[in-house]
Amino acid sequence: AYAESPIGGHYLNRLIIRYFHQEHGVHIDALGAEDIKINTASAYYPNQNTQLDCVGRESDGKGTKRVTFYRSDIFQLLQNPLKEWTTLIQKVCADLHPAAFEDITHHPIRLIGGGSQISGLDAFINQQTGLEVECSEFPRECVLKGAQLFHRNH
């Protein structure tokens, strides 16, 4: 089941990049999308629908263009993928050996990476799955450490 769903923060970044290209006619790079995801995105409808600006490269490549968007635009864009994440977590838990599932129920799921910094994501996953969820204090560093460990062991 998990191989079928797009997962991870890079997928969300691609959605943000596509949104700005299709809706505003500008190209933003992966770092710009990451910044918008971390600083603008929310798992819940934003209390304040703040108007924000973004500068991107014009589609014709001839210059830059400042565009205006709202926090609610990013919220709506990411709602389906975030719901897919919670469905995926539930499917993975259903496939786990009972001893492994018991371990998860006694220890929180730890979110890492840029996507883990989406406002309210931990509470959203908890609400949807009933599992305890924590965000890492150093989410990007965890990804790097995990890659180092994987590389060292393979």
Side-chain angles (χ1 to χ4, degrees):
Y2 11 98
E4 299 168 8
S5 296
I7 59 171
H10 292 293
Y11 177 71
L12 301 181
N13 289 354
R14 288 194 305 271
L15 289 177
I16 292 168
I17 289 168
R18 187 175 346 155
Y19 164 79
F20 278 94
H21 179 73
Q22 292 175 346
E23 298 297 321
H24 298 285
V26 297
H27 174 77
I28 61 169
D29 61 15
L31 290 175
E34 179 81 358
D35 183 58
I36 290 168
K37 177 181 68 184
I38 291 171
N39 296 307
T40 304
S42 176
Y44 294 100
Y45 193 85
N47 290 337
Q48 296 178 344
N49 193 17
T50 311
Q51 181 177 324
L52 303 160
D53 290 334
C54 174
V55 176
R57 202 172 59 244
E58 291 191 50
S59 295
D60 62 9
K62 294 183 179 179
T64 60
K65 178 180 172 185
R66 180 174 297 279
V67 297
T68 300
F69 67 101
Y70 293 88
R71 287 183 64 122
S72 62
D73 298 335
I74 305 305
F75 165 79
Q76 291 170 349
L77 177 69
L78 301 183
Q79 274 307 284
N80 284 337
L82 296 183
K83 287 177 184 175
E84 287 177 17
W85 287 5
T86 60
T87 300
L88 182 60
I89 291 168
Q90 291 168 329
K91 287 179 181 180
V92 169
C93 287
D95 290 345
L96 284 175
H97 185 277
F101 182 73
E102 185 178 340
D103 189 44
I104 287 176
T105 60
H106 291 13
H107 299 86
I109 294 173
R110 183 163 305 257
L111 302 178
I112 64 169
S116 71
Q117 297 174 71
I118 293 173
S119 176
L121 182 60
D122 52 345
F124 179 77
I125 293 172
N126 171 263
Q127 180 183 38
Q128 299 293 313
T129 65
L131 298 170
E132 190 177 344
V133 181
E134 289 181 354
C135 294
S136 173
E137 188 176 354
F138 303 102
R140 292 181 181 176
E141 291 82 352
C142 288
V143 173
L144 294 173
K145 291 273 188 197
Q148 285 176 331
L149 287 171
F150 180 82
H151 181 66
R152 193 175 311 140
N153 294 324
H154 289 84

